[in-house]
Amino acid sequence: MNPYSGIRNSSKEDTIFTFSRTSLTLTDYIEFSRLTQKSDSSQIEALFVEAGACSITVEGADQQIHLEEDHCSTPWEIVKLSALFDPTALDLESIRKIQSDLTEFPLSESLRFRKLGIRNWDEEWKKHIQPTIVNDCIWIGPTWDKPDLEYRHIVHIDPGLAFGTGNHETTSLCLEVLANHALDDVGVVDFGCGTGILGIVSCILGARYSIGVDIDPNAIEVANRNAEQNDVERQFKAHLLEEFLNTGELRSAKHNVVVANILTSTLIEHSRTLKDLVADQGTLILSGILANQSQAVSDAYRDAFDFSILQRGDWVALTGIRRENESG
Ligand SMILES: C[S@@+](CC[C@H](N)C(=O)[O-])C[C@H]1O[C@@H](n2cnc3c(N)ncnc32)[C@H](O)[C@@H]1O
């Protein structure tokens, strides 16, 4: 079975909702879209995310019908990327920045934008969240989806106002590493927890405890609710970054596994904090990294970790064991 069946590839009509980080309500949205080469799409996606997009859609834009090949990437050579922005959160400066950032990519078409009429975005968006299957044994899906009981572990993750359904490559890479790791009785930190998906799955796979950390109060609420939903609220608790850093015993403890799926710049900026959280011989999993950024991330952690790389499409995850007796 395809472990990434949450990602649908088939014909040009198919659409992949790669992520939605906010609740899309009954309202108007501004949509930016442009055609781009498949090879540039992840970088452009990252630009839109940085500019505050609340949802991104990738569609095939050519006329070919493609057969599934590796199940892991979009099958189209030319894709249409559409990003939805809440107009109240978008200023002229951000629009100018998007336009100027995009000039570095060869243009087959300039950036288009349009105002979308009122629609019930929550319902539209729900249709595109597909269950994710990990290692043929874990089913992860929202509570409104009916789980396939043939899987050994069933995990219900509702995204609410946070990122992390399992559908995005950066999350599924971490899930794959976690599912292949011995998690029995270990302590885990899920840094940049979003919905709590990685920490909650770790608990379901046997972790003694898992601590979620995020800068977004919505994520904390969603993650703790998802923990309750999966009956792991005694093992998993999410904290705001500030609270985590200012609570002595949370900050100073060392953990067997630390997983962080955040943007590359944040992984580099917080390298000291992340290194310090990993126990000697503990495992660090870093994701949210485009293949061409992996060297910069490895360099920031080189004093304490040698990494192995797992790649899916344009994205990579780095996994390393902390060397003993290194101060980091
Ligand atoms: C890409 S999402 C990952 C969510 C989930 N862990 C997953 O794998 O799907 C990144 C998360 O990191 C959070 N974040 C961003 N900067 C952060 C920081 N400096 N410290 C902690 N969390 C941060 C964001 O709010 C977001 O929820």
Side-chain angles (χ1 to χ4, degrees):
M1 182 172 297
N2 168 23
Y4 300 98
S5 54
I7 300 169
R8 297 178 306 127
N9 296 343
S10 58
S11 71
K12 83 181 186 70
E13 281 81 21
D14 258 3
T15 299
I16 300 175
F17 261 60
T18 55
F19 94 104
S20 175
R21 73 172 185 191
T22 188
S23 176
L24 300 175
T25 48
L26 204 63
T27 184
D28 289 342
Y29 276 83
I30 292 186
E31 182 196 70
F32 284 82
S33 64
R34 66 162 278 179
L35 295 180
T36 180
Q37 286 169 358
K38 177 178 143 183
S39 53
D40 293 332
S41 65
S42 298
Q43 288 184 68
I44 295 179
E45 185 183 337
L47 285 178
F48 281 139
V49 172
E50 222 166 286
C54 42
S55 156
I56 292 182
T57 309
V58 184
E59 297 168 86
D62 58 6
Q63 298 302 310
Q64 307 273 327
I65 300 295
H66 300 267
L67 295 174
E68 285 185 73
E69 285 172 7
D70 60 3
H71 303 280
C72 298
S73 58
T74 55
W76 317 287
E77 284 314 312
I78 306 290
V79 296
K80 181 181 165 200
L81 267 176
S82 309
L84 279 192
F85 289 85
D86 176 348
T88 58
L90 193 64
D91 56 24
L92 203 57
E93 201 43 50
S94 331
I95 297 174
R96 284 209 186 100
K97 180 160 186 332
I98 297 170
Q99 279 177 320
S100 108
D101 287 344
L102 285 175
T103 53
E104 69 178 86
F105 300 96
L107 279 182
S108 50
E109 187 197 54
S110 53
L111 188 67
R112 294 183 172 187
F113 72 94
R114 62 183 176 136
K115 190 173 170 192
L116 300 180
I118 287 183
R119 273 199 241 170
N120 190 336
W121 291 104
D122 276 335
E123 289 310 313
E124 292 277 321
W125 169 65
K126 274 183 181 178
K127 289 184 209 152
H128 294 278
I129 298 178
Q130 302 289 313
T132 298
I133 311 298
V134 187
N135 277 14
D136 267 357
C137 67
I138 312 170
W139 180 99
I140 304 171
T143 46
W144 61 82
D145 213 333
K146 203 162 157 249
D148 187 338
L149 297 175
E150 82 180 70
Y151 295 101
R152 187 156 155 228
H153 303 287
I154 303 293
V155 186
H156 276 118
I157 297 292
D158 282 339
L161 296 170
F163 181 105
T165 58
N167 288 176
H168 197 271
E169 288 100 321
T170 58
T171 312
S172 66
L173 282 164
C174 296
L175 289 168
E176 181 177 332
V177 177
L178 289 170
N180 290 322
H181 196 286
L183 289 173
D184 260 352
D185 214 26
V186 307
V188 177
V189 172
D190 175 0
F191 201 89
C193 63
T195 57
I197 182 169
L198 303 176
I200 290 169
V201 166
S202 300
C203 293
I204 285 171
L205 295 179
R208 185 159 35 94
Y209 68 83
S210 170
I211 301 169
V213 183
D214 208 291
I215 50 169
D216 179 358
N218 291 314
I220 304 304
E221 197 185 317
V222 168
N224 286 329
R225 201 181 321 124
N226 279 324
E228 278 175 34
Q229 183 70 44
N230 290 283
D231 291 328
V232 294
E233 71 273 20
R234 286 210 287 208
Q235 294 103 302
F236 176 93
K237 182 151 173 38
H239 303 264
L240 276 175
L241 177 68
E242 208 182 320
E243 178 198 346
F244 180 81
L245 295 179
N246 292 326
T247 307
E249 69 268 28
L250 286 177
R251 172 76 197 252
S252 58
K254 307 282 179 197
H255 311 271
N256 310 96
V257 177
V258 174
V259 57
N261 174 16
I262 325 186
L263 291 174
T264 287
S265 52
T266 315
L267 293 175
I268 293 174
E269 186 190 334
H270 287 276
S271 61
R272 161 68 60 185
T273 308
L274 287 165
K275 279 186 250 184
D276 283 352
L277 290 172
V278 186
D280 282 349
Q281 301 277 297
T283 301
L284 178 64
I285 305 160
L286 302 176
S287 187
I289 306 164
L290 288 166
N292 63 9
Q293 301 168 331
S294 69
Q295 191 59 51
V297 179
S298 306
D299 286 347
Y301 290 81
R302 161 170 326 284
D303 54 346
F305 293 90
D306 295 312
F307 289 112
S308 59
I309 299 185
L310 191 61
Q311 181 156 2
R312 179 144 310 122
D314 296 328
W315 299 95
V316 298
L318 305 179
T319 305
I321 309 288
R322 191 187 167 102
R323 288 194 290 273
E324 262 178 287
N325 301 321
E326 301 264 1
S327 62

